[in-house]
Amino acid sequence: MSSGRVLVVDLAWRRCDCGHFQVERLPCRHVIMCCANQRLDWQVYVSDVYKMSEIRKPHQYFTSMRRQHGMPLNDKIIPYLYMAGLAHLVILNDHWFKLDEPMVSAFVEQWWPETHTFHMPFEECTITLQDVAYHLGLSIDGHYVSRCLTDFQQFIDGRRPAWDWLQELLSMLPSADCIDKFTVKCTWMQETFSHLPHNPNEETIRRYARVYIMMLLSTNLLGDKSGTHMHIRWLPYVAKLEDMGGYSWTSAALSWLYRCLCRVANRNVVKLADLLQLLQSWIFWSFLGFRLDGFDAFHWPMVTRWSGYQPTLSKKGLESRSGGSR
């Protein structure tokens, strides 16, 4: 080379010192020159991620771990949901649609953690803040939701024990058999706070609103794979209900989705606890080939547009699967 730099190409390990071969998973010009010199077919070194046949034939299916909210909504706590900027999530709780696991799995397998994008045969693409706002009806503006997911105890007033603060905010504490580290059984929350008492005072309404919002965040927005327990990491937020509307829940949802997709990059992970319905709604809207017939009516948030979708009854879904099995 004119610069005097020597680049080493290792076809066995699919590496080139220029770095493009490893990052793009496509033969760089040095690899192509090496293949030409050795009379090898450079197309053999093109990653399967660029082949349409692989997109329609996922190697493994990812199943959704989304839990049902399981708590009825009382009209008296609705103002607090609007105050927190989470009212649209309540609508989604009644309009979730069935997940098309093969289709979602095919897209998840194209996810690259290094760039937080889907590497499709035609281009890279990803879900943006605007997409999350449109599909879930959440606000983009506001303070970021930070650190409560790992070291939330640092945000407890007076650094008191977390369970003391929970008892202060909810006026009761779950029994020991309903507690596991910093999580509470969802069944205890549902059985204890499902129905407001008759003629409740304002403080009682706030307690029930706190529980409803914590369950909403744990099951519909930032869920995990525990399946039966709810983390109390949301205490610093529900303690000040008036301030919750000042946070960007859209950016929190997007970051959580990216985090879960990056974890699935590990082939040993086959279950996701995140908003896979958000991902599927984005696929329907962004890729005309997957857009459904008979779901043309406008709805807000956009995720509710696909309410009632059944993958096994989808003509396009059947065509996609038959095309991938040929």
Side-chain angles (χ1 to χ4, degrees):
M1 300 178 61
S2 58
S3 62
R5 182 186 176 191
V6 177
L7 300 178
V8 178
V9 175
D10 190 332
L11 295 179
W13 289 94
R14 302 194 177 214
R15 296 182 58 87
C16 178
D17 286 351
C18 73
H20 293 287
F21 193 19
Q22 299 91 290
V23 173
E24 299 175 359
R25 302 189 190 181
L26 281 173
C28 61
R29 59 191 179 98
H30 312 109
V31 172
I32 294 177
M33 292 173 60
C34 182
C35 289
N37 180 267
Q38 299 295 321
R39 296 185 179 182
L40 299 174
D41 183 6
W42 62 268
Q43 298 185 50
V44 175
Y45 300 98
V46 176
S47 173
D48 289 343
V49 73
Y50 293 99
K51 299 177 181 179
M52 184 60 72
S53 59
E54 292 299 312
I55 293 181
R56 293 189 178 274
K57 186 182 64 176
H59 296 94
Q60 60 187 119
Y61 287 171
F62 299 97
T63 57
S64 175
M65 292 289 294
R66 197 191 76 80
R67 293 165 287 163
Q68 295 294 329
H69 190 295
M71 297 185 67
L73 176 63
N74 191 288
D75 293 341
K76 295 182 183 297
I77 68 175
I78 291 180
Y80 290 102
L81 296 176
Y82 278 99
M83 182 187 300
L86 300 172
H88 286 301
L89 283 182
V90 181
I91 301 176
L92 300 182
N93 196 55
D94 297 325
H95 289 82
W96 285 113
F97 47 87
K98 189 173 179 61
L99 186 70
D100 191 334
E101 293 177 353
M103 183 185 69
V104 172
S105 300
F107 273 82
V108 170
E109 286 193 347
Q110 311 309 315
W111 180 259
W112 276 31
E114 297 85 356
T115 57
H116 287 175
T117 56
F118 296 100
H119 278 233
M120 311 303 287
F122 41 86
E123 64 179 353
E124 294 182 42
C125 54
T126 192
I127 303 179
T128 65
L129 277 175
Q130 186 180 49
D131 292 323
V132 178
Y134 285 168
H135 286 268
L136 297 184
L138 301 175
S139 174
I140 294 178
D141 299 330
H143 304 292
Y144 54 86
V145 180
S146 171
R147 303 183 68 184
C148 70
L149 304 180
T150 54
D151 49 2
F152 78 100
Q153 296 183 80
Q154 297 184 13
F155 296 86
I156 297 178
D157 290 343
R159 298 297 179 93
R160 76 189 87 173
W163 295 108
D164 291 350
W165 200 20
L166 177 72
Q167 185 174 16
E168 177 183 326
L169 294 175
L170 304 185
S171 296
M172 62 179 64
L173 196 64
S175 57
D177 60 334
C178 295
I179 297 176
D180 183 13
K181 296 182 180 179
F182 290 107
T183 64
V184 182
K185 282 187 176 180
C186 293
T187 53
W188 181 85
M189 288 289 193
Q190 294 165 355
E191 294 170 358
T192 308
F193 295 96
S194 287
H195 301 283
L196 268 171
H198 185 63
N199 294 327
N201 57 33
E202 191 61 28
E203 184 56 36
T204 301
I205 297 175
R206 291 175 66 90
R207 287 201 301 269
Y208 278 73
R210 290 188 180 106
V211 173
Y212 192 94
I213 290 174
M214 291 175 69
M215 288 287 289
L216 197 64
L217 294 174
S218 298
T219 58
N220 283 26
L221 192 64
L222 304 171
D224 54 38
K225 294 191 291 186
S226 64
T228 58
H229 288 71
M230 180 200 72
H231 204 286
I232 64 173
R233 60 168 65 100
W234 307 113
L235 287 179
Y237 295 93
V238 299
K240 301 177 181 178
L241 293 172
E242 292 79 8
D243 297 338
M244 287 196 68
Y247 289 95
S248 174
W249 296 106
T250 294
S251 60
L254 182 64
S255 300
W256 193 256
L257 177 62
Y258 282 0
R259 176 177 179 268
C260 288
L261 289 175
C262 290
R263 285 190 170 186
V264 171
N266 178 358
R267 291 290 180 176
N268 295 324
V269 177
V270 295
K271 291 185 178 181
L272 281 176
D274 210 282
L275 288 169
L276 292 185
Q277 279 79 7
L278 166 62
L279 176 58
Q280 183 165 311
S281 179
W282 173 77
I283 293 171
F284 287 159
W285 180 254
S286 302
F287 297 88
L288 297 179
F290 292 101
R291 189 170 298 184
L292 304 174
D293 296 327
F295 291 85
D296 299 326
F298 178 79
H299 292 276
W300 179 261
M302 288 176 61
V303 166
T304 61
R305 180 174 186 169
W306 323 110
S307 179
Y309 167 67
Q310 295 290 335
T312 56
L313 302 179
S314 171
K315 184 180 295 184
K316 288 187 176 180
L318 290 174
E319 291 175 355
S320 298
R321 289 184 191 139
S322 62
S325 60
R326 293 174 184 173

